Amino acid sequence: METVAVDYRSQEVEFYYIYKALAHPEHNGYVQPFTQEERLLHVAEAKRTLGSEIEWLCDNMKNELKQALGGAPNSQFVIDPKGKIVHASGWSDPVELRSFLANLVGEVTPATTVADLDLKQLPPPQLAGQGFAVRPQMPGQMRALLVKPLRSHEQYYVKLRAEVDSRFMQEGLGWMYIGFHLDPLLRVHWNNLAPPLKFRISTPEGITVALAEASARKIEVESDADPREFLLGIEWDSNVLPAASLPASSLVLEVEYYPCHEKGWCKFIKQSYTIKLQPDRNAGSVRGRGRAVGGQFRNR
């Protein structure tokens, strides 16, 4: 894409990347931002790591631009000066785009190659070691739930991700994944000299979790950046909570943890979330996380 942009700027074609909700959170450690300011941190990070000269646009927290453009994670569009979409593809393809622009405004020769560019790509941040915490295996296909951070005087240095398996949604008995992920762009790591992270979940009538309160396992190093993850049994009694009321029902999760910043401070933080029992279509899908190969699972 960078080579196409270099060639066709001379033909008065403007190029933009659009930052939308992450399609695959946890890739390279990045997690879904909670605020517009945090999304702009992601834009700055993309510029830093990719070394791109293409300008960025940032969607708002309601994801209105993403929805207006069809919701695909990696689409491409050509829009004429009157605002009309003259080319659209569900998956970005620089070869296809170059061919279309050649027919639209004329071919540019010789074509710039990647070797001609001086892209200074940089690695993602890693503020502490990883691989110390045991990650739970997933019991099958999981679906992300709507998570809302409640008002806090502190920034959400740790981002909550909540998921349930398809069996819970279909049969009312299944598993809930609760993951607390450090935000690498906020430059923090876990302080393992302090008490480990702990949480407590309050459920509405008709919903039961097998482990409503728990602490993370102690990690035997001073600091690390692994997520703190739990797999909880969850049950829904439709006789108490009708199916029509399930999407509006919320769990409340309170979490306590001790982060340390690269500038040297460490502090105690207590924050709360609501978790709605409905899918979050903008949460993306996690790749590479453990999958079940048979047998039983335990709450962790």
Side-chain angles (χ1 to χ4, degrees):
M1 190 62 69
E2 299 290 329
T3 61
V4 181
V6 167
D7 289 341
Y8 280 89
R9 284 196 190 101
S10 63
Q11 302 298 100
E12 298 185 342
V13 179
E14 297 182 7
F15 287 77
Y16 298 94
Y17 287 134
I18 299 174
Y19 179 89
K20 301 178 285 187
L22 294 179
H24 302 296
E26 296 186 38
H27 180 65
N28 286 331
Y30 300 116
V31 292
Q32 294 287 10
F34 283 170
T35 66
Q36 193 70 42
E37 290 75 15
E38 290 179 350
R39 281 196 170 188
L40 293 175
L41 288 179
H42 280 242
V43 170
E45 177 70 359
K47 291 179 180 179
R48 184 188 74 84
T49 57
L50 298 177
S52 172
E53 295 295 328
I54 295 177
E55 291 294 324
W56 284 77
L57 305 175
C58 185
D59 200 0
N60 62 29
M61 296 305 295
K62 294 181 180 179
N63 300 297
E64 290 177 311
L65 182 55
K66 175 186 176 183
Q67 302 307 326
L69 295 177
N74 191 36
S75 53
Q76 70 182 23
F77 299 88
V78 177
I79 303 173
D80 72 11
K82 295 181 180 180
K84 179 182 178 181
I85 296 176
V86 294
H87 166 78
S89 177
W91 194 258
S92 180
D93 184 340
V95 175
E96 177 188 24
L97 179 60
R98 181 180 288 276
S99 176
F100 177 82
L101 291 177
N103 291 327
L104 183 68
V105 298
E107 184 177 6
V108 175
T109 57
T112 301
T113 67
V114 174
D116 297 328
L117 303 178
D118 185 24
L119 296 178
K120 294 181 173 60
Q121 297 181 326
L122 298 172
Q126 185 171 353
L127 304 180
Q130 294 178 300
F132 302 102
V134 177
R135 304 200 68 176
Q137 287 186 313
M138 296 297 103
Q141 188 69 32
M142 306 293 286
R143 301 181 68 181
L145 299 175
L146 280 170
V147 168
K148 180 182 179 180
L150 300 182
R151 184 181 297 274
S152 173
H153 296 298
E154 296 283 355
Q155 193 154 20
Y156 274 82
Y157 296 101
V158 170
K159 303 294 195 288
L160 171 66
R161 185 175 179 88
E163 302 175 355
V164 291
D165 66 351
S166 56
R167 185 183 172 203
F168 169 75
M169 302 299 289
Q170 296 167 3
E171 303 175 16
L173 182 65
W175 297 93
M176 170 179 275
Y177 165 84
I178 297 293
F180 301 94
H181 299 260
L182 291 168
D183 190 331
L185 299 187
L186 300 183
R187 320 302 294 181
V188 292
H189 57 266
W190 299 112
N191 176 10
N192 295 331
L193 300 179
L197 174 147
K198 67 178 181 180
F199 72 90
R200 182 169 66 88
I201 298 178
S202 301
T203 59
E205 192 172 357
I207 299 293
T208 304
V209 292
L211 197 64
E213 186 171 348
S215 296
R217 293 175 178 175
K218 181 71 174 177
I219 303 296
E220 299 301 327
V221 293
E222 290 187 5
S223 64
D224 77 291
D226 287 332
R228 302 304 191 246
E229 300 171 295
F230 304 83
L231 197 58
L232 316 175
I234 183 170
E235 185 174 2
W236 162 38
D237 186 345
S238 59
N239 293 319
V240 177
L241 181 63
S245 301
L246 185 65
S249 301
S250 297
L251 291 72
V252 177
L253 184 147
E254 297 178 352
V255 62
E256 299 177 5
Y257 61 97
Y258 291 82
C260 288
H261 195 273
E262 66 176 3
K263 291 183 178 180
W265 59 254
C266 298
K267 64 175 70 174
F268 167 77
I269 292 180
K270 182 177 181 179
Q271 293 170 322
S272 299
Y273 298 85
T274 58
I275 304 171
K276 281 194 172 294
L277 294 172
Q278 58 178 284
D280 184 350
R281 302 183 185 280
N282 295 304
S285 60
V286 177
R287 292 182 173 178
R289 192 194 287 154
R291 286 284 183 265
V293 292
Q296 300 296 315
F297 291 86
R298 296 180 179 178
N299 290 324
R300 301 189 178 190

